[in-house]
Amino acid sequence: MTSYGYERPAPGAPDFRFVELETASSTNSLCFDRARQGDAGRLWIRADEQTSGRGRRGRDWSSPKGNLFASLLLVDPKPAERIGELPLAAAVALAEAVDKAAGTLQLVSLKWPNDLLVDGSKLSGILLEAEKLADGRQAVVLGFGVNCVSHPPLSLYQATDLRSLGYQVTAERLFECLAEALADNLSRWQQPDGFDGIRRAWLKRAAHLGKTITVRTAQEEITGTFADLDARGHLVLKQDGGGARTIYAGDVFLPGA
């Protein structure tokens, strides 16, 4: 039975807390509200639907019922200097969760830094946001949106959903798998060399490794061959003439898209 608004251990990850809501403006926003009120973190908030969901760079995120909308609040996650690696750890965890919930193996590929693709179509989005709180703590929120039963007509990317692909996966079941997989990957990430294993797991699912891609940053467009991820998860682009360029943030497209 669903107990909306009642805090309890997260399914699949009892060391984390969990709140479930029928409707939320944005699960990321609610996590930040809790942090500002003094919450210690390790808190999941999941909503059946969102009225003001958002994606990367402030883009709207369609949030109808039946899909997964969940956010995890972490407060002062350590090691703090490696927080930029978390989106890739989250992507690996979500990919593992989709496989477990759908009963598949390597169903999804990963588009840098953290989009899940199936045959080139976008299945999910992950949004990491951080805020320095008034008391000096740092709140970090990982937000997940997964198309379980429907997908929007996206202007930038072709999209898909699990039901259209023939998989009957509820948001509740996928969340349970995600909470468990992310707890495991966060524990791995916190180890001194923990990101190395996450990086290798990410590369095994890399959608465009070895292919020519275009990366649109806030300042420019850069085209080259996706050669690798560096030790911190940044994209390494090999350009004509043999030089390499490290990309820290941007949107990846295939040429001509």
Side-chain angles (χ1 to χ4, degrees), residues 56-57 59 84-85 87-88 111-115 126-128 157 213-223 228-230 232-237 245-253:
R56 293 179 64 227
R57 303 193 181 187
R59 299 174 184 131
E85 299 165 356
L88 281 80
K111 180 169 81 76
W112 186 83
N114 54 21
D115 284 344
I126 299 173
L127 176 64
L128 182 146
Y157 312 102
I213 59 173
T214 295
V215 184
R216 297 175 188 168
T217 72
Q219 294 80 30
E220 60 182 332
E221 288 193 2
I222 312 138
T223 297
D228 202 356
L229 296 179
D230 72 9
R232 299 295 297 273
H234 305 129
L235 189 151
V236 179
L237 202 63
R245 178 87 175 265
T246 300
I247 310 297
Y248 299 96
D251 290 316
V252 171
F253 298 88

Side-chain angles (χ1 to χ4, degrees), residues 170-218:
T170 65
E172 293 81 0
R173 173 57 179 158
L174 182 55
F175 173 74
E176 180 178 347
C177 295
L178 172 60
E180 180 179 11
L182 189 55
D184 289 343
N185 277 277
L186 286 174
S187 179
R188 182 197 307 184
W189 171 76
Q190 289 174 327
Q191 303 305 312
D193 59 349
F195 185 67
D196 182 60
I198 291 169
R199 173 184 167 277
R200 286 186 277 108
W202 196 101
L203 284 169
K204 285 181 180 179
R205 295 180 183 262
H208 304 127
L209 190 63
K211 297 181 179 179
T212 299
I213 59 173
T214 295
V215 184
R216 297 175 188 168
T217 72

Side-chain angles (χ1 to χ4, degrees), residues 4 11 17 29 36 41 51 64 76 93 130 141 143 149 156 162 187 217 223 233:
Y4 289 111
R17 294 170 298 127
S29 295
R36 295 177 195 120
T51 57
D76 287 334
V141 176
V149 300
L156 284 176
L162 289 170
S187 179
T217 72
T223 297

